[in-house]
Amino acid sequence: SGYRAPVIDVEEVADVLAYQATACRIVGSSLYERILLGALADVRAGGVCARVLDDHHVDPYGSALALRFLGAVHRIALEGRAPALAALYPSTGGDPSAGDPVAAFLATVADHEDEVRHRLADGVQTNEVGRSAALVGGYAEVARRTGLPLRVLELGASAGLNLRFDRYC
C-alpha cells in the first residue's frame, strides 16, 4: 500500500480549520461550519483529512487553506461525482438538513483523495458582500456630487454580489 503516516503539524492545520469554521458561523454558513468542524475532528484523529492536508501546515496562515479544501471537494459535488454530498449542498439543489454533511464530505474526500490533494494548489474565488463596503463610500460620493442615480456594471469578480450594494447595511 502507498499509505504513509501524515507529517502535518496537526495543531497548525487545526487552527486554520477552526478559524474558518468560526468565520463561517459568523457569516451564517452553518453547513460549512459543520463540515469544517468535522474535518477538524478528522485531522486530529489522523483520518483522511489529515492525509490530504499533509504538508500544508507550512502554508501561510492567510493562504485560504480551509477554503481551498472546501472548494476542491465542492467542485467534485458540482460535477455530479459525489451525489451524496451534492444532495446536501444548496448550490447543487440539495438540502443541508437532509443528512449528515460531515459523513458525506469525509466520504467524498476519501473517494477522491488524490484529486482533492492535487486541487489544494488551486486558488479560490471568494464571493463576499463585505467587499462592497470599500465601494459604498465612492458610490455615495458620486451620487452626492452628481445628484444622479448610480448604475453599476460588474464583470464577474464577485458573482454579481456587488451589484446589490444598496441592500447591505
Side-chain angles (χ1 to χ4, degrees):
S1 120
Y3 174 75
R4 63 185 172 84
V7 295
I8 66 172
D9 181 323
V10 169
E11 286 312 308
E12 287 189 35
V13 172
D15 285 348
V16 169
L17 297 177
Y19 176 85
Q20 190 62 53
T22 299
C24 288
R25 179 180 42 78
I26 289 169
V27 300
S29 179
S30 62
L31 175 64
Y32 269 180
E33 177 192 17
R34 289 170 59 199
I35 287 172
L36 285 168
L37 291 175
L40 169 61
D42 187 73
V43 163
R44 286 190 169 139
V48 66
C49 293
R51 290 193 307 270
V52 167
L53 296 170
D54 185 18
D55 289 334
H56 284 279
H57 66 279
V58 298
D59 290 11
Y61 197 82
S63 71
L65 174 61
L67 295 177
R68 289 183 286 131
F69 185 40
L70 292 170
V73 177
H74 191 189
R75 174 187 287 261
I76 294 165
L78 287 169
E79 291 176 350
R81 295 184 291 125
L85 185 59
L88 303 171
Y89 276 12
S91 61
T92 57
D95 177 2
S97 67
D100 180 5
V102 173
F105 183 87
L106 295 177
T108 302
V109 174
D111 290 346
H112 302 274
E113 190 172 333
D114 290 338
E115 178 182 354
V116 173
R117 184 180 295 109
H118 173 75
R119 291 259 174 219
L120 285 172
D122 295 349
V124 294
Q125 168 68 45
T126 59
N127 298 311
E128 301 171 1
V129 298
R131 292 186 184 146
S132 293
L135 303 172
V136 170
Y139 294 162
E141 182 61 16
V142 168
R144 186 190 68 76
R145 287 184 186 187
T146 66
L148 299 171
L150 183 64
R151 239 175 74 177
V152 178
L153 173 64
E154 180 186 33
L155 299 176
S158 288
L161 294 173
N162 287 325
L163 298 176
R164 300 173 63 86
F165 72 92
D166 59 322
R167 301 190 180 166
Y168 308 139
C169 23

